[in-house]
Amino acid sequence: MTRLFLIGYMGAGKTTLGKAYARFQGLQFIDLDKYLEARRRKSVSAIFHDEGESGFRRTESSLLHEVGEFEDVVVATGGGTPCFYDNMEYMNRQGTTVFLDTSMDVLFRRLSVSRTCRPLLDGMANDELRRFMSQQLLQRSPSYRKAKLTFRGDELENREQITRSVELLHQLLQNG
């Protein structure tokens, strides 16, 4: 029975690596944000707007505890998931947690092109985005560092890099 939780900052590559690894291993893949949107029939942005971050985080934690009971699953969490409630401790009890440690430059490049899709970043100028990311990474790092394993998330840009990353992740998990 496999339960793998991928954690890390927005844009770290959790969904990209998670989908590819799940496919490689024949496991179910769950993107926690997409799962939340499907269950609530509302976008993450709408939940943030209607209920605030605290309402979103309560729902997120509840659904994490739901998917954390599934078997043979790879879960890509939201960037803040490990930092609220008992989420990190819960994931560590339920399965294997892997922190996708991705460089600030790679995160910035990825997020600067997708910021309108992310409620916390929408409307930020580049300098504001960099400051915000630096501050959040500093705050979130202690939670991320509680993961059982750490994996570099910088090289998930093309099919070849993703395939190689899946192989490296598999090796890391085997050697654990």
Side-chain angles (χ1 to χ4, degrees), residues 20-81:
Y21 188 75
R23 192 169 33 251
F24 173 73
Q25 288 293 98
L27 303 169
Q28 178 183 7
F29 172 74
I30 296 174
D31 178 304
L32 190 59
D33 283 344
K34 298 292 181 210
Y35 186 83
L36 188 149
E37 288 179 335
R39 287 293 305 274
R40 291 291 308 275
R41 294 185 176 105
K42 202 184 244 193
S43 71
V44 168
S45 296
I47 296 168
F48 260 81
H49 179 266
D50 296 345
E51 302 171 33
E53 185 174 8
S54 62
F56 171 78
R57 296 297 178 194
R58 278 191 305 275
T59 301
E60 176 186 58
S61 182
S62 172
L63 293 178
L64 172 67
H65 284 250
E66 185 175 303
V67 301
E69 299 297 320
F70 296 177
E71 295 182 0
D72 298 323
V73 65
V74 176
V75 179
T77 67
T81 306

Side-chain angles (χ1 to χ4, degrees), residues 122-167:
D122 193 20
M124 286 188 187
N126 283 346
D127 58 336
E128 186 181 7
L129 176 60
R130 268 202 190 273
R131 278 193 307 275
F132 179 80
M133 289 172 58
S134 293
Q135 180 183 17
Q136 276 208 322
L137 284 166
L138 189 62
Q139 292 170 341
R140 291 178 176 188
S141 182
S143 295
Y144 293 161
R145 298 284 174 206
K146 292 178 184 177
K148 292 178 180 175
L149 301 169
T150 299
F151 186 83
R152 290 299 299 168
D154 287 350
E155 295 190 8
L156 294 166
E157 306 297 318
N158 58 49
R159 186 170 296 175
E160 182 179 301
Q161 288 180 353
I162 293 167
T163 299
R164 180 74 181 133
S165 291
V166 165
E167 292 167 359

Side-chain angles (χ1 to χ4, degrees), residues 5 7 64-65 81-95 97 142-143 146-148:
F5 298 93
I7 69 166
L64 172 67
H65 284 250
T81 306
C83 309
F84 293 88
Y85 305 107
D86 70 337
N87 293 345
M88 194 64 222
E89 292 75 15
Y90 175 77
M91 289 185 285
N92 276 329
R93 282 193 313 269
Q94 292 299 105
T97 51
S143 295
K146 292 178 184 177
K148 292 178 180 175

Side-chain angles (χ1 to χ4, degrees), residues 17 98-102 149-153 165-166 168-169 172:
L17 183 59
V98 178
F99 167 43
L100 264 64
D101 189 7
T102 307
L149 301 169
T150 299
F151 186 83
R152 290 299 299 168
S165 291
V166 165
L168 291 171
L169 177 61
L172 177 67

